[in-house]
């Protein structure tokens, strides 16, 4: 790939591919879309039976008529565990930086010099506040301060922010030599691109820039490639960590819930394709042929108690309780309402903030 692509690339979050997945979320979040959409009260209440790819299931077919050819790729599953998210990650893994350089993924609105300077000024303000000494977070100017960017994609935004930080070095209230910006992404192809880009080399050589392969929703350690240091709960940094999430959370997995007539329901999805023949699940273009079916299954507000971290589960229960109560009290016509819960983003924040001794505990 041409080295100039960092001037024409973007970030993982601003993605055409994720738009397809977000469309699936949006359509799942509708109570009624067309005459083919099943009403929530038509859903078989048995969680077991609802997860079967059965012609008799009452289902939601998106963008296709009921008579369209349809091949089931995956039975009904929790939305955040759907193979849809795997398809999206395969897209980025296979396409690499070409996702942006070939114009597949829009990027300019989130990856330009103005945005980079704005984020740098936010960091400047953050450090200025901490330097006053009247906050619960403390700075040690003799220790490293890490800025971790999630889903850095082609690194264009990263370059602008690092450059802006360097320009602030004489007024920022922290030694610039002790600030390390860490570009992360889940795919090695992007990391290899950053390593070889001439515009990033001066920052690598000065120690201000490092790289890591990091799946924000699932990985609990950040292994820095250049320094060999691992940031983790077992080896935390002494200073607070500054996490940059520039248009990334929409690409991390979500769960979907629906409140209907006082009943909380989980949205489940069965992934299928309209493509004839045996589909190649590793083909990044398969997402263009997906034709999914959805159902709502009754569930409880303690949905997350056995499947998420103990520290997070009570808060997630409170969130679901609040939404259920709110719509019971404020939906007199029982029109129903859907809620997206960004569980992947919550995990990402927990995974990154536990790498510092000054992480919030709740």
């Amino acid at each position: 790939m041409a080295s100039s692509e960092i001037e024409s690339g973007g970030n993982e979050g601003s993605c055409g591919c994720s738009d397809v997945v977000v469309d699936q979320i949006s359509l799942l979040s509708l109570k009624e879309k067309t005459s083919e959409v099943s009403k929530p009260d038509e859903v078989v209440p048995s969680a077991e039976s609802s997860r079967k790819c059965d012609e008799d299931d009452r289902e939601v077919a998106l963008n296709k008529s009921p008579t369209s050819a349809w091949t089931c790729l995956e039975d009904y599953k929790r939305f955040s565990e759907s193979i849809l998210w795997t398809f999206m990650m395969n897209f980025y893994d296979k396409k690499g930086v070409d996702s942006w350089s070939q114009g597949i993924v829009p990027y300019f609105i989130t990856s330009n010099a103005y945005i980079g300077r704005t984020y740098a000024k936010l960091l400047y303000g953050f450090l200025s506040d901490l330097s006053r000494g009247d906050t619960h977070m403390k700075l040690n100017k003799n220790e490293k301060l890490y800025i971790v960017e999630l889903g850095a994609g082609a690194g264009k935004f990263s370059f602008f922010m690092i450059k802006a930080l360097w320009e602030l070095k004489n007024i920022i209230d922290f030694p610039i030599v002790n600030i390390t910006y860490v570009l992360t992404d889940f795919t090695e192809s992007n990391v290899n691109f950053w390593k070889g880009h001439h515009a990033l080399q001066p920052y690598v050589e000065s120690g201000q820039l490092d790289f890591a392969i990091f799946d924000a929703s699932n990985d609990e350690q950040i292994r820095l490639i250049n320094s060999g240091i691992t940031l983790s709960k077992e080896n935390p940094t002494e200073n607070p960590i500054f996490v940059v999430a520039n248009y990334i959370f929409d690409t991390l997995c979500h769960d979907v819930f629906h409140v209907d007539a006082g009943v909380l329901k989980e949205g489940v999805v069965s992934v299928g394709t309209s493509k004839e023949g045996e589909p190649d699940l590793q083909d990044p273009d398969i997402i263009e042929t997906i034709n999914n079916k959805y159902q709502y299954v009754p569930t409880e507000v303690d949905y997350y108690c056995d499947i998420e971290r103990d520290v997070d589960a009570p808060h997630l229960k409170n969130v679901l309780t609040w939404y259920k109560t709110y719509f019971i009290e404020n939906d007199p016509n029982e029109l129903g309402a859907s809620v997206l819960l960004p569980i992947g983003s919550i995990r990402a924040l927990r995974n990154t903030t536990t790498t510092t001794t000054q992480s919030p505990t709740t």
Side-chain angles (χ1 to χ4, degrees), residues 34-319:
T34 67
S35 60
E36 291 90 41
V37 178
S38 63
K39 296 180 180 179
D41 59 3
E42 294 178 325
V43 176
V44 180
S46 168
E48 180 65 25
S49 63
S50 71
R51 298 173 187 270
K52 302 298 182 183
C53 285
D54 192 314
E55 291 298 325
D56 294 329
D57 282 342
R58 299 182 183 272
E59 59 206 14
V60 181
L62 300 181
N63 305 321
K64 303 290 181 180
S65 67
T67 57
S68 297
W70 190 80
T71 302
C72 181
L73 302 178
E74 181 180 65
D75 285 345
Y76 286 99
K77 294 189 70 172
R78 173 185 175 187
F79 195 76
S80 62
E81 296 177 350
S82 168
I83 199 173
L84 281 171
W85 305 99
T86 302
F87 289 162
M88 185 177 64
M89 294 181 76
N90 286 344
F91 171 88
Y92 282 112
D93 190 36
K94 301 292 185 182
K95 299 290 186 180
V97 178
D98 288 345
S99 302
W100 299 275
S101 64
Q102 294 183 1
I104 302 172
V105 174
Y107 61 86
F108 179 77
I109 194 65
T110 59
S111 301
N112 56 68
Y114 174 79
I115 295 295
R117 288 194 299 269
T118 300
Y119 274 71
K121 290 176 182 177
L122 285 172
L123 177 61
Y124 167 74
F126 174 68
L127 294 177
S128 297
D129 289 344
L130 295 186
S131 296
R132 294 202 310 264
D134 57 355
T135 68
H136 73 281
M137 290 186 177
K138 306 300 178 183
L139 283 178
N140 185 338
K141 296 183 180 181
N142 296 317
E143 295 291 333
K144 280 284 188 180
L145 176 73
Y146 291 98
I147 306 166
V148 177
E149 182 182 352
L150 307 179
K156 182 180 180 182
F157 163 83
S158 319
F159 170 76
F160 285 131
M161 183 173 176
I162 296 166
K163 184 174 182 291
L165 279 173
W166 189 258
E167 292 169 352
L168 293 172
K169 66 180 179 179
N170 293 328
I171 63 171
I172 201 165
D173 199 8
F174 198 90
I176 196 70
V177 294
N178 281 340
I179 296 178
T180 296
Y181 195 106
V182 183
L183 277 76
T184 77
D185 214 328
F186 77 94
T187 175
E188 188 175 3
S189 61
N190 287 349
V191 176
N192 289 336
F193 174 75
W194 306 332
K195 287 180 181 180
H197 202 288
H198 68 89
L200 299 178
Q201 291 311 303
Y203 303 105
V204 173
E205 294 169 1
S206 67
Q208 263 71 69
L209 181 62
D210 214 323
F211 312 120
I213 298 174
F214 180 64
D215 181 348
S217 294
N218 298 305
D219 294 344
E220 298 182 355
Q221 296 183 335
I222 306 174
R223 297 180 177 87
L224 307 188
I225 292 172
N226 296 335
S227 67
I229 294 172
T230 296
L231 307 180
S232 65
K233 185 176 181 179
E234 293 72 29
N235 183 40
T237 66
E238 185 172 335
N239 281 315
I241 194 168
F242 191 90
V243 179
V244 177
N246 182 35
Y247 206 171
I248 174 68
F249 288 160
D250 69 323
T251 67
L252 303 182
C253 63
H254 291 63
D255 282 320
V256 180
F257 297 92
H258 189 84
V259 180
D260 179 64
V263 178
L264 180 68
K265 298 179 180 181
E266 171 198 8
V268 293
V269 57
S270 175
V271 178
T273 178
S274 58
K275 188 175 182 180
E276 296 182 357
E278 187 70 21
D280 179 5
L281 300 186
Q282 299 302 314
D283 181 0
D285 295 325
I286 192 174
I287 202 165
E288 297 179 3
T289 73
I290 55 176
N291 178 20
N292 305 321
K293 301 180 181 181
Y294 300 96
Q295 291 186 340
Y296 291 109
V297 182
T299 189
E300 302 295 335
V301 294
D302 60 356
Y303 178 87
Y304 289 104
C305 288
D306 295 326
I307 55 180
E308 293 297 324
R309 291 181 173 94
D310 291 342
V311 69
D312 293 324
H315 302 295
L316 294 170
K317 179 179 179 179
N318 289 340
V319 169

